[in-house]
Amino acid sequence: MVEPNEIVMARRLIATRRFAEAMAVLGPMVRGARPDARGLALCVGVLLETGQVEPAAYQAERLVAMFPGEGLHHAVLGDCRRRQGRQAEAAACYERALERDGSLVGARLGLARCWRAMGRHARALAEAERAAGEHPGVFEATALAATLRHDLGDAEGAVALLRGAAEYGATDDRLWRLLAFVGNSCASGSAEEVAALREAIAPRPLVE
């Protein structure tokens, strides 16, 4: 489906953090009794990004009420509930999102974060590792799974996950920092492996 020009423009503005301009573009699309669903979802994202959690939650509630069949909309409401500190409600939103569309990696990671916030680390790890397995190119999935393994005292398991991300081709600077953090908790036998991996994923200059 071809996106309206307004949506394309809003996405570009959001990508460059020109949030006020994005909202000006989205405004006419989200007012009235039947707003554009894509525009309203983007609007919620901008409100969250700019710290306007309560207005974002209100708009997300509208989104779900008007378009309840879309998993993404439940995930958007889950993001709002999580930012409001309502972890159990957020988890329920993410579960409804995944019932409608199991491929929503953001919803699965949101659910994992909710379980972690509620102290249910084993459930959180299961969701994060599933996300990492299904979406190996998504840094956030591997990072969360590695962090949860570290939380549970399995530093070497965390390093193994990060090694897999590096082998897949991830060179994100956040991966490097997380690897260094987790590596400090590893037994001496793994420390050499961590050092070698740090070297392997070290950022390279664009011009030699």
Side-chain angles (χ1 to χ4, degrees):
M1 180 184 296
V2 177
E3 291 190 325
N5 290 337
E6 294 86 350
I7 294 294
V8 174
M9 184 183 300
R11 290 190 193 281
R12 288 174 179 168
L13 291 168
I14 291 167
T16 55
R17 305 189 66 80
R18 295 158 64 183
F19 298 126
E21 293 174 68
M23 289 297 280
V25 172
L26 293 170
M29 303 183 71
V30 302
R31 298 190 190 103
R34 196 69 179 173
D36 180 89
R38 288 166 296 186
L40 193 52
L42 287 175
C43 179
V44 172
V46 170
L47 290 170
L48 283 178
E49 189 69 26
T50 55
Q52 302 177 69
V53 178
E54 297 306 321
Y58 170 74
Q59 298 295 350
E61 290 165 4
R62 287 181 68 207
L63 187 63
V64 168
M66 294 177 184
F67 309 98
E70 291 291 331
L72 178 62
H73 302 165
H74 292 272
V76 167
L77 181 56
D79 292 341
C80 295
R81 293 291 183 248
R82 192 162 60 84
R83 289 281 295 274
Q84 289 174 312
R86 297 157 65 174
Q87 302 295 338
E89 292 177 53
C93 290
Y94 291 131
E95 287 177 329
R96 285 192 289 272
L98 291 166
E99 286 170 3
R100 289 161 173 79
D101 184 352
S103 70
L104 292 172
V105 63
R108 196 166 300 284
L109 293 178
L111 181 58
R113 292 185 178 105
C114 288
W115 293 140
R116 186 187 188 205
M118 291 188 285
R120 303 173 72 172
H121 288 78
R123 291 193 70 172
L125 178 60
E127 295 293 349
E129 290 197 329
R130 178 172 176 179
E134 292 177 351
H135 304 274
V138 176
F139 167 81
E140 286 78 6
T142 301
L144 182 57
T147 300
L148 284 160
R149 282 215 168 270
H150 186 268
D151 288 349
L152 291 167
D154 183 11
E156 293 190 8
V159 168
L161 283 169
L162 295 171
R163 183 201 311 121
E167 289 174 352
Y168 188 81
T171 56
D172 194 300
D173 185 56
R174 293 168 297 173
L175 175 62
W176 176 302
R177 293 198 299 271
L178 184 58
L179 179 63
F181 170 73
V182 172
N184 290 334
S185 303
C186 287
S188 58
S190 295
E192 294 178 4
E193 184 177 87
V194 172
L197 184 53
R198 282 183 192 149
E199 174 65 24
I201 66 172
R204 299 291 193 268
L206 294 177
V207 179
E208 297 293 343

